[in-house]
Amino acid sequence: MKKQILMSVLAASLMTACTDTADLDQLTERVDNIENRLDGNGSEQAASLEESLQAILDRIISLEGANASLDAVAADLEAMQVLIDALSKTAPENEAEIERILAELEALQNKVSGNSDMITAIEDMMKGEAEVWWGNIATSEDLTAFGEGNYAIISGDVYLNSDDVVEALQNVVFVGGNVHVGEVTAIDWDVENIGASLMVKDQMSITSLVMENLKSVGGELMISGNTSLETVELPSLAYVNEEVHVNGLHEGMDEFGGYFSRSVITTFDMSGLVVANDDMTLESIGQDAVVLTALTQVNGDFVLNALKETATLAFPALDMVDGSLTISGNAKLSVLEMDELTYVANDLQVVNNSGGGGFGIGFGGESTGIEHLVTFGKLETVGGGIYISSNSEMKTIDAFNALTSVGQYSSITIENMNFLNHFNAFNALESANNVTIWGIYNYDDPSAEIDITAFNMATSVSTVILTDVGVKLNTFEFFKNVEQVTSSVELGGQWSPLRLMDTMLGFEKVAYLGWSGFTVYVETVDNPYGNWCAFADMITKKNEGLQMYGDIIFNERLEGVSDYTVVDNSTITPCVE
């Protein structure tokens, strides 16, 4: 059947040009050569390729927030389907059928901003001016045979084992299988779509990977372990169907026996990426700013780790992470932008983004790390827990104030940030499981203060621990509307009381208290704390046995005094307006 359509297509093309018998004889010989390859594995590969393309196309069409870049990818893949469909059927009986197919391809071309070289190549194939290579390009024999034809599409795998192979494939716009990069020095290739994976792993020679026209990768995009790779430019890549992993780390032992670790990739561009359809990891990229302006979805875990020279991480269009979001070990990070993010399916972590030394850092030098966390303003749902930890220079957290739900049995942990002085967060959250805030000590300034305004819409919580806070609390508005505490509350501790400078506002509405109780340690400057009256209603409910199962213990002391006084709850009466 494939021979018949090729004969018909090519014959129609030649006959319209008034060809003679010699031309037709040449045509017959050419088609016979093509048939030999098709008879070997063309039918099987065509069927397999059509199935994989359909799966990718279905996924792209189903994506929310699709844009023009994804439309262009879809148009290319649909054009490939048109070609495969044509090659799989009995030949058209007349030129009108060929014209119909060409019109269909032209309609797809019109969906693409600018022009698609891939659709143009498929149109050329339908006119008999180009061919499909059915099979792999893996050996020198393959390459020699490939050079004897006019091939723009390769159905199978490609092994870029030398610069000569890269040069020979310059006119190829589509690879149906995997692209494996071997011992090449540089790649500058106009391929537009790769049906399976692009693998650049553990190579010593390659210095540059540039594919400016690449729109889609149907499998994985894996770039790691390349000791000399400095440039990765994939600016038009809009869609990757499986995992994205870019790691520029090069580590080992130097000539003197010392360990070294450095980021090799210093130029990085994937600014056109719209959707990563699986996990996505960017690690050890030594570029000042990593900005993915088009990225809207990561349908898996999203990890930004050890980007040692990166000061700006910006994803201004990112809406959804259908996995965990981890931002860690970025020593020079100063700006984090994810202002449009609304959904994270699992955990969200911002940890160890600090300069100098320390676990997970190692490259900081004189940098300080992130000081102000002022993003996540539209984030509504986190399906797991939230961990903001060990960002040693962080001063401000003004975030998560649109968040309404977190994982039912997950934790929210804010810890080990000595210079934190402003914490305004989680003020739309309706309920929480475990909330822990600890490790805020400004050893450089004994008079340091913090304003805490947090969790003030939550009506239920399991456990709250606020301890090891060595700075003074200037404003403290915390769980102002909580009614149910199913386990316990611990505010301050014997060795780290809350150093209140004003009235503590929070927990006054508690009507249910678990067996683990409610314990507060407070230190004031001049006079004993004068606002225990706010808890009078809680004490009354406890005395009446109304679902207040645990003990309620208030401890207070003056600054400079080591011993606490336990407040006699029977003396606590309602506040006088």
Side-chain angles (χ1 to χ4, degrees):
M1 291 183 186
K2 294 183 179 65
K3 180 176 179 180
Q4 290 174 336
I5 187 171
L6 285 166
M7 283 291 294
S8 297
V9 170
L10 293 173
S13 176
L14 287 171
M15 286 179 179
T16 56
C18 300
T19 58
D20 56 22
T21 304
D23 291 327
L24 290 176
D25 290 341
Q26 187 178 17
L27 169 63
T28 302
E29 180 181 357
R30 182 180 174 193
V31 172
D32 286 340
N33 290 336
I34 296 173
E35 182 194 359
N36 290 335
R37 180 161 293 280
L38 291 176
D39 287 346
N41 57 19
S43 296
E44 182 179 343
Q45 287 212 357
S48 176
L49 183 57
E50 187 170 29
E51 183 179 353
S52 63
L53 288 177
Q54 187 61 55
I56 297 169
L57 188 57
D58 288 346
R59 179 57 183 154
I60 290 174
I61 293 173
S62 72
L63 288 170
E64 297 180 3
N67 63 13
S69 296
L70 293 184
D71 290 343
V73 174
D76 281 0
L77 300 187
E78 287 181 46
M80 190 63 196
Q81 287 184 316
V82 169
L83 176 65
I84 294 173
D85 185 59
L87 293 176
S88 301
K89 293 179 179 178
T90 303
E93 295 181 356
N94 53 57
E95 192 173 349
E97 178 67 8
I98 298 172
E99 292 301 324
R100 183 196 65 76
I101 295 173
L102 290 174
E104 186 175 353
L105 291 170
E106 190 60 28
L108 291 172
Q109 184 75 275
N110 291 334
K111 291 183 179 181
V112 181
S113 177
N115 188 65
S116 166
D117 289 341
M118 179 170 162
I119 296 177
T120 299
I122 292 172
E123 290 174 326
D124 289 344
M125 289 172 197
M126 295 307 302
K127 297 173 184 177
E129 298 171 2
E131 304 168 68
V132 177
W133 176 274
W134 295 100
N136 302 328
I137 298 294
T139 67
S140 58
E141 290 79 9
D142 292 334
L143 195 63
T144 298
F146 182 87
E148 295 173 355
N150 181 24
Y151 299 102
I153 288 176
I154 299 171
S155 69
D157 294 343
V158 168
Y159 294 82
L160 300 177
N161 293 323
S162 70
D163 292 337
D164 290 341
V165 178
V166 176
E167 181 64 27
L169 303 185
Q170 280 303 305
N171 293 328
V172 171
V173 294
F174 177 80
V175 175
N178 299 301
V179 174
H180 301 272
V181 174
E183 296 181 2
V184 300
T185 57
I187 295 175
D188 189 348
W189 189 16
D190 289 336
V191 65
E192 292 196 352
N193 295 279
I194 296 173
S197 297
L198 172 57
M199 312 293 283
V200 190
K201 295 181 63 178
D202 302 324
Q203 297 301 312
M204 298 179 64
S205 302
I206 186 169
T207 61
S208 176
L209 175 66
V210 178
M211 296 181 178
E212 292 197 355
N213 295 333
L214 182 63
K215 301 174 189 175
S216 71
V217 174
E220 297 177 83
L221 172 60
M222 189 68 62
I223 304 171
S224 67
N226 304 291
T227 60
S228 302
L229 182 60
E230 297 178 351
T231 299
V232 175
E233 294 185 357
L234 310 172
S236 301
L237 180 61
Y239 179 81
V240 179
N241 195 49
E242 296 179 10
E243 181 180 1
V244 176
H245 193 154
V246 180
N247 188 339
L249 181 65
H250 175 35
E251 58 184 346
M253 305 299 290
D254 61 26
E255 58 184 316
F256 304 106
Y259 172 78
F260 71 86
S261 178
R262 64 187 181 91
S263 177
V264 181
I265 298 173
T266 55
T267 300
F268 176 77
D269 186 359
M270 285 177 52
S271 56
L273 186 63
V274 178
V275 174
N277 198 40
D278 205 321
D279 296 343
M280 179 170 178
T281 301
L282 302 180
E283 292 185 290
S284 299
I285 296 171
Q287 182 169 275
D288 178 68
V290 174
V291 180
L292 273 62
T293 53
L295 185 65
T296 61
Q297 296 182 33
V298 177
N299 294 318
D301 295 339
F302 189 15
V303 178
L304 300 164
N305 178 58
L307 301 166
K308 67 175 186 175
E309 299 295 332
T310 302
T312 299
L313 288 172
F315 307 90
L318 183 63
D319 174 68
M320 180 182 78
V321 175
D322 199 11
S324 294
L325 172 61
T326 302
I327 302 161
S328 63
N330 305 300
K332 294 185 178 180
L333 182 62
S334 61
V335 176
L336 176 63
E337 181 184 347
M338 293 184 175
D339 294 347
E340 297 299 316
L341 185 64
T342 62
Y343 176 83
V344 176
N346 297 322
D347 293 340
L348 188 157
Q349 301 184 61
V350 182
V351 299
N352 291 320
N353 296 288
S354 304
F359 174 76
I361 305 164
F363 306 112
E366 297 180 357
S367 63
T368 60
I370 190 167
E371 296 184 5
H372 306 286
L373 186 63
V374 291
T375 190
F376 304 122
K378 294 184 179 180
L379 183 61
E380 297 175 354
T381 302
V382 174
I386 296 176
Y387 306 91
I388 314 296
S389 173
S390 301
N391 305 289
S392 63
E393 300 298 322
M394 189 171 287
K395 298 178 174 65
T396 302
I397 297 177
D398 197 338
F400 306 111
N401 283 316
L403 187 70
T404 57
S405 65
V406 294
Q408 183 177 0
Y409 302 108
S410 300
S411 299
I412 296 174
T413 301
I414 312 294
E415 63 181 8
N416 289 332
M417 288 178 287
N418 291 337
F419 299 106
L420 191 64
N421 59 38
H422 180 82
F423 181 53
N424 176 33
F426 304 106
N427 286 306
L429 191 64
E430 298 167 1
S431 64
N433 185 37
N434 298 318
V435 174
T436 301
I437 301 173
W438 68 277
I440 304 173
Y441 285 98
N442 190 335
Y443 297 105
D444 297 336
D445 184 3
S447 63
E449 302 174 1
I450 186 172
D451 294 313
I452 295 179
T453 306
F455 300 98
N456 286 314
M457 288 298 292
T459 58
S460 66
V461 68
S462 177
T463 301
V464 178
I465 298 174
L466 175 64
T467 187
D468 291 326
V469 177
V471 297
K472 297 179 179 180
L473 279 79
N474 182 45
T475 301
F476 187 53
E477 299 182 6
F478 196 55
F479 284 100
K480 289 170 60 176
N481 285 292
V482 70
E483 298 173 359
Q484 178 173 282
V485 177
T486 58
S487 182
S488 65
V489 173
E490 179 183 343
L491 304 179
Q494 184 175 359
W495 309 111
S496 58
L498 301 183
R499 301 173 66 194
L500 293 175
M501 298 179 65
D502 202 343
T503 301
M504 174 172 61
L505 300 176
F507 297 101
E508 297 97 336
K509 297 182 179 181
V510 173
Y512 180 98
L513 178 63
W515 286 102
S516 297
F518 191 100
T519 304
V520 182
Y521 287 86
V522 164
E523 178 182 283
T524 51
V525 178
D526 298 318
N527 300 301
Y529 184 63
N531 203 51
W532 297 119
C533 60
F535 299 98
D537 191 46
M538 185 191 299
I539 298 299
T540 299
K541 289 184 174 68
K542 171 68 175 174
N543 292 337
E544 293 176 354
L546 298 177
Q547 295 185 311
M548 304 294 283
Y549 302 108
D551 294 331
I552 301 172
I553 302 172
F554 301 121
N555 303 277
E556 64 179 359
R557 75 180 185 188
L558 293 176
E559 187 176 66
V561 177
S562 59
D563 295 331
Y564 291 92
T565 298
V566 179
V567 177
D568 182 354
N569 290 349
S570 66
T571 66
I572 297 176
T573 57
C575 298
V576 177
E577 297 262 338

